[in-house]
Coordinates of all heavy atoms in Angstrom, one line a residue:
A1129 N 0.4 15.6 11.5 CA 1.2 15.3 10.3 C 0.3 15.5 9.1 O 0.7 16.0 8.1 CB 1.8 13.8 10.4
R1131 N -2.4 17.2 8.8 CA -2.9 18.7 8.7 C -1.7 19.5 8.1 O -1.9 20.3 7.3 CB -3.2 19.2 10.0 CG -4.5 19.9 10.1 CD -5.0 20.4 11.4 NE -5.4 19.3 12.3 CZ -4.9 19.1 13.5 NH1 -3.9 19.8 13.9 NH2 -5.4 18.1 14.2
K1132 N -0.6 19.3 8.6 CA 0.6 19.9 8.1 C 0.9 19.6 6.6 O 1.2 20.6 5.8 CB 2.0 19.4 8.7 CG 2.1 20.1 10.2 CD 3.4 19.6 10.7 CE 3.7 20.3 12.2 NZ 5.0 19.9 12.7
A1133 N 0.7 18.5 6.2 CA 0.8 18.0 4.8 C -0.2 18.8 3.8 O 0.1 19.4 2.9 CB 0.7 16.6 4.6
E1134 N -1.6 18.8 4.4 CA -2.5 19.5 3.7 C -2.3 21.0 3.6 O -2.4 21.6 2.5 CB -3.9 19.1 4.3 CG -4.3 17.7 4.0 CD -5.6 17.4 4.7 OE1 -6.1 18.1 5.6 OE2 -6.2 16.3 4.3
K1135 N -1.8 21.6 4.7 CA -1.6 23.0 4.7 C -0.4 23.4 3.8 O -0.4 24.3 3.0 CB -1.2 23.4 6.1 CG -1.1 24.8 6.4 CD -1.0 25.3 7.9 CE -0.9 26.7 8.1 NZ -0.8 27.0 9.5
A1136 N 0.6 22.6 3.7 CA 1.9 22.8 2.8 C 1.3 22.7 1.3 O 1.8 23.4 0.6 CB 2.9 21.7 3.1
I1137 N 0.5 21.7 1.0 CA 0.0 21.6 -0.3 C -0.8 23.0 -0.7 O -0.7 23.4 -1.8 CB -0.9 20.3 -0.5 CG1 -0.1 19.0 -0.3 CG2 -1.7 20.3 -1.8 CD1 -0.7 17.8 -0.2
A1138 N -1.7 23.3 0.3 CA -2.6 24.5 0.0 C -1.8 25.7 -0.3 O -2.1 26.6 -1.1 CB -3.6 24.6 1.1
A1139 N -0.7 25.8 0.5 CA 0.2 26.9 0.4 C 1.3 26.8 -0.8 O 2.0 27.7 -0.9 CB 1.0 27.2 1.7
K1140 N 1.2 25.7 -1.4 CA 2.1 25.5 -2.6 C 3.5 25.6 -2.1 O 4.4 26.2 -2.7 CB 1.9 26.4 -3.8 CG 0.6 26.1 -4.3 CD 0.3 26.7 -5.6 CE -1.1 26.3 -6.0 NZ -1.5 26.6 -7.4
D1141 N 3.8 25.1 -0.8 CA 5.2 25.1 -0.2 C 6.0 24.1 -1.0 O 5.7 23.0 -1.3 CB 5.0 24.8 1.2 CG 6.3 25.0 2.0 OD1 7.1 25.6 1.5 OD2 6.2 24.4 3.2
P1142 N 7.3 24.6 -1.2 CA 8.3 23.5 -1.8 C 8.5 22.4 -1.0 O 9.0 21.4 -1.6 CB 9.6 24.4 -2.0 CG 9.3 25.8 -1.7 CD 7.9 25.9 -0.9
A1143 N 8.4 22.5 0.3 CA 8.7 21.4 1.2 C 7.2 20.5 1.3 O 7.3 19.6 2.2 CB 9.0 21.8 2.6
A1144 N 6.3 20.6 0.4 CA 5.1 19.8 0.5 C 5.3 18.3 0.3 O 4.7 17.6 1.0 CB 4.1 20.4 -0.4
K1145 N 6.2 18.1 -0.5 CA 6.4 16.7 -0.8 C 7.0 15.9 0.4 O 6.6 14.8 0.6 CB 7.5 16.5 -1.9 CG 7.6 15.3 -2.6 CD 8.4 15.3 -3.9 CE 8.3 13.9 -4.7 NZ 9.0 14.0 -5.8
E1146 N 8.0 16.6 1.2 CA 8.4 16.0 2.4 C 7.4 15.8 3.4 O 7.3 14.9 4.1 CB 9.6 16.8 2.9 CG 10.9 16.8 2.2 CD 10.9 17.6 0.9 OE1 10.0 18.6 0.8 OE2 11.6 17.3 -0.1
A1147 N 6.5 16.9 3.5 CA 5.3 16.8 4.4 C 4.5 15.7 4.1 O 4.0 15.0 5.1 CB 4.7 18.2 4.5
V1148 N 4.1 15.4 2.9 CA 3.3 14.4 2.4 C 4.0 13.0 2.7 O 3.3 12.2 3.2 CB 3.0 14.5 0.9 CG1 2.4 13.3 0.4 CG2 2.1 15.8 0.7
A1149 N 5.2 12.9 2.6 CA 5.9 11.7 2.8 C 5.9 11.4 4.3 O 5.6 10.2 4.7 CB 7.4 11.7 2.3
I1176 N -4.4 12.6 0.0 CA -3.3 13.6 0.1 C -2.5 13.5 -1.2 O -2.0 14.5 -1.6 CB -2.3 13.2 1.4 CG1 -3.2 13.4 2.7 CG2 -1.2 14.0 1.3 CD1 -2.6 13.0 3.9
K1179 N -4.2 15.4 -3.9 CA -4.1 16.8 -3.7 C -2.7 17.4 -4.1 O -2.7 18.5 -4.7 CB -4.3 17.1 -2.2 CG -5.9 17.0 -1.7 CD -6.0 17.5 -0.2 CE -7.4 17.2 0.2 NZ -7.5 17.5 1.7
L1180 N -1.7 16.6 -3.7 CA -0.3 16.9 -4.1 C -0.1 17.1 -5.6 O 0.4 18.0 -6.2 CB 0.6 16.1 -3.5 CG 2.1 16.3 -3.7 CD1 2.6 17.7 -3.1 CD2 3.0 15.3 -3.2
N1181 N -0.6 15.9 -6.3 CA -0.5 15.9 -7.8 C -1.3 16.9 -8.4 O -0.9 17.6 -9.5 CB -0.9 14.6 -8.2 CG 0.0 13.4 -7.9 OD1 1.2 13.8 -7.6 ND2 -0.3 12.3 -7.7
A1182 N -2.5 17.3 -7.9 CA -3.4 18.3 -8.5 C -2.8 19.7 -8.3 O -3.0 20.6 -9.1 CB -4.8 18.3 -7.8
A1183 N -2.0 19.9 -7.2 CA -1.4 21.2 -7.0 C -0.2 21.5 -7.9 O 0.3 22.6 -7.9 CB -0.9 21.4 -5.5
K1184 N 0.4 20.5 -8.5 CA 1.6 20.7 -9.3 C 1.2 21.3 -10.6 O 0.3 21.2 -11.2 CB 2.3 19.2 -9.7 CG 3.0 18.8 -8.4 CD 3.7 17.5 -8.7 CE 4.4 17.0 -7.6 NZ 5.0 15.8 -7.8

Side-chain angles (χ1 to χ4, degrees):
R1131 234 180 283 120
K1132 280 183 181 179
E1134 289 176 344
K1135 192 173 182 181
I1137 292 168
K1140 299 193 179 189
D1141 190 9
K1145 197 169 185 179
E1146 289 79 22
V1148 168
I1176 291 170
K1179 286 179 185 178
L1180 180 65
N1181 291 333
K1184 287 184 180 176

